[in-house]
Amino acid sequence: MKLAVIGAGSTYTPELVSGLSRERERVPLDELVLHDIDAERRGVVGGLAGRMLERQGYDGRLTLTGELERALDGADFVLIQIRVGGQEARLRDETIPLACGCVGQETTGAGGLAKALRTVPVVLDIAARARERAADGAWIVDFTNPVGIVTRALLDEGHRAVGLCNVAIGFERAIAASLGVEPARVLVDQVGLNHLTWIRAVYLDGRDIFADVLAEHMDAVAAQAALPPELIRELGAIPSYYLRYFYAEDEQVAELRAGTPRAQVVAKIERELLAMYRDPALSEKPALLERRGGAFYSEAATQLVAALATASGEAQVVDVRNAGALPGLDDDDVVELPARIGDAGPEPLPQPPLAAELLGLVQHVAAYERLAARAAVTGDRDTAARALLVHPLVGQWPRARELLDRMLAAEVGA
């Protein structure tokens, strides 16, 4: 089995390497390819990956390359984790919307659209080359944000792809810790769109204990959601922490304006991590990596790869076509929900209808994602403007046009 990681110069990559070692029985890799166009980062991160794999007793081949064709040749799995434009582009995504009075965030709202316009064409180019060179039946696993829009674009082009986010596994680990049980015993029924989801059931050994979790562990749940307990009780569902941008928009805009942009924080952490990775004595992921974000990324990614490789039949929260699973959305909308991983890949599990106050927001953002994916593929400016117009965090025509003008001008200037 060959697995290619595209964007492997990411400081996340040691997390992935660590996860692959835990799944070596289900994912017997003959070759792990780490691809990145940045030769320096590829060498630094790849060096640490090699030392980690040697320590873990990996007996396959590790290949570092800047040649995409070399990475994709014969690959059974292509994991895409790129950041087009780096942290500098992220900084623009976070700050330009704030100047217009909107949430500045790299995946949600106007910043997410800017990232999608930049990212989708690059991902589709990678996928097109994978179609030519990867193994028959190869899977593309997308961890590149905005995951919902990128996955939609991949599926629209007919690629065998699935999107993945770490929000669900983060909640599962937090709830398991509160319960004092092994994480493998907990499954959350997280439903909605990428970065716009709610948990309506929590299963412990297959038994729904949602009411008990809210009654006995609300403080931990509220901390993970970054929202007040009163709101969670009122909704009767646990929102993703990205919902704070919708439920407390004014407060979030004020905080973002007053604080240090996340892009600058992450850039500093990455510089420190890369300095650590250069240490030839380091052969395990450093604790600082936990502050980078993307907690449990490696577990989510490697569990999904293992399930796809073995058609295990287990349920995992992934981003897939709706295909009638969630009432109120179109079949071709890309939803994030539990899916059974079988011979044909992820099959979304049918869901009870969302409450009206949840469904309305999901439909609103699903319309935005449809337009955003189309704009990213066609490059049509009017479609991009309509995407911003329909987004709940923008939603006014003069603001949408101003935001789009500023974002496109910044891309040209960069």
Side-chain angles (χ1 to χ4, degrees):
M1 184 184 297
K2 175 178 176 179
L3 186 150
V5 182
I6 310 302
S10 167
T11 51
Y12 282 137
T13 298
E15 277 275 6
L16 179 63
V17 170
S18 178
L20 287 170
S21 71
R22 289 192 298 271
E23 292 282 1
R24 66 177 66 191
E25 291 187 6
R26 293 202 295 168
V27 188
L29 287 181
D30 299 303
E31 183 177 10
L32 172 63
V33 182
L34 303 182
H35 169 274
D36 203 281
I37 59 175
D38 186 320
E40 181 181 3
R41 289 185 67 128
R42 182 176 71 240
V44 171
V45 175
L48 173 57
R51 296 190 297 273
M52 292 176 67
L53 290 170
E54 182 179 4
R55 178 178 177 176
Q56 295 159 6
Y58 171 67
D59 57 4
R61 183 191 315 162
L62 173 66
T63 302
L64 310 181
T65 183
E67 299 177 14
L68 184 60
E69 288 74 13
R70 171 67 186 86
L72 296 174
D73 279 341
D76 300 284
F77 292 92
V78 180
L79 197 154
I80 304 177
Q81 55 172 28
I82 63 174
R83 179 178 290 280
V84 180
Q87 295 299 331
E88 297 83 1
R90 178 178 183 168
L91 183 61
R92 297 195 299 272
D93 297 343
E94 292 176 346
T95 54
I96 290 174
L98 287 175
C100 296
C102 295
V103 165
Q105 211 278 332
E106 65 160 343
T107 62
T108 300
L113 177 66
K115 186 169 188 182
L117 296 177
R118 215 171 33 243
T119 302
V120 165
V122 179
V123 172
L124 289 182
D125 180 65
I126 293 168
R129 292 202 245 177
R131 178 179 279 157
E132 297 172 355
R133 308 190 74 106
D136 291 340
W139 278 99
I140 295 174
V141 178
D142 178 66
F143 204 76
T144 298
N145 280 318
V147 168
I149 297 172
V150 173
T151 302
R152 183 183 189 111
L154 284 165
L155 294 173
D156 285 349
E157 292 294 319
H159 295 291
R160 200 175 194 220
V162 57
L164 184 64
C165 182
N166 68 326
V167 171
I169 196 171
F171 271 106
E172 288 172 350
R173 295 307 185 266
I175 292 170
S178 297
L179 297 172
V181 302
E182 289 297 315
R185 297 174 60 189
V186 176
L187 176 69
V188 297
D189 190 28
Q190 178 173 291
V191 178
L193 308 176
N194 178 243
H195 290 182
L196 195 83
T197 50
W198 297 263
I199 294 169
R200 300 181 295 174
V202 177
Y203 296 100
L204 176 62
D205 299 331
R207 181 173 64 90
D208 187 1
I209 60 166
F210 183 78
D212 296 337
V213 169
L214 291 194
E216 301 172 18
H217 304 284
M218 177 58 85
D219 289 345
V221 166
Q224 185 72 12
L227 286 164
E230 295 79 13
L231 174 60
I232 296 172
R233 292 191 186 96
E234 185 172 327
L235 292 172
I238 304 170
S240 156
Y241 40 82
Y242 286 93
L243 265 296
R244 70 187 188 272
Y245 296 115
F246 296 85
Y247 292 145
E249 181 182 354
D250 291 345
E251 177 184 323
Q252 288 301 306
V253 169
E255 287 187 8
L256 290 167
R257 280 176 163 169
T260 301
R262 177 66 179 165
Q264 293 179 346
V265 174
V266 170
K268 181 176 183 296
I269 293 172
E270 285 195 334
R271 288 193 294 271
E272 295 175 14
L273 283 171
L274 290 170
M276 292 179 178
Y277 292 179
R278 288 184 174 91
D279 181 358
L282 183 67
S283 59
E284 59 184 356
K285 61 178 184 178
L288 179 63
L289 185 54
E290 296 176 7
R291 291 173 46 205
R292 169 63 181 82
F296 309 114
Y297 152 62
S298 66
E299 291 183 49
T302 53
Q303 284 178 13
L304 177 57
V305 169
L308 289 169
T310 60
S312 67
E314 63 195 84
Q316 295 186 19
V317 176
V318 292
D319 290 82
V320 292
R321 291 283 199 208
N322 182 38
L326 188 57
L329 295 180
D330 289 344
D331 286 350
D332 68 339
D333 284 330
V334 169
V335 292
E336 186 167 294
L337 44 65
R340 189 77 61 192
I341 315 296
D343 290 332
E347 295 289 338
L349 297 177
Q351 298 294 319
L354 289 168
E357 62 272 18
L358 310 185
L359 179 59
L361 184 54
V362 169
Q363 290 173 327
H364 208 160
V365 177
Y368 151 76
E369 291 195 347
R370 180 182 297 272
L371 289 165
R374 188 182 306 159
V377 171
T378 64
D380 185 70
R381 189 187 188 103
D382 290 338
T383 303
R386 288 198 299 275
L388 287 178
L389 178 64
V390 78
H391 199 291
L393 296 179
V394 182
Q396 298 180 49
W397 180 242
R399 176 185 286 176
R401 278 293 180 179
E402 180 184 0
L403 268 170
L404 184 61
D405 288 345
R406 290 190 181 204
M407 291 190 302
L408 295 180
E411 291 296 318
V412 172

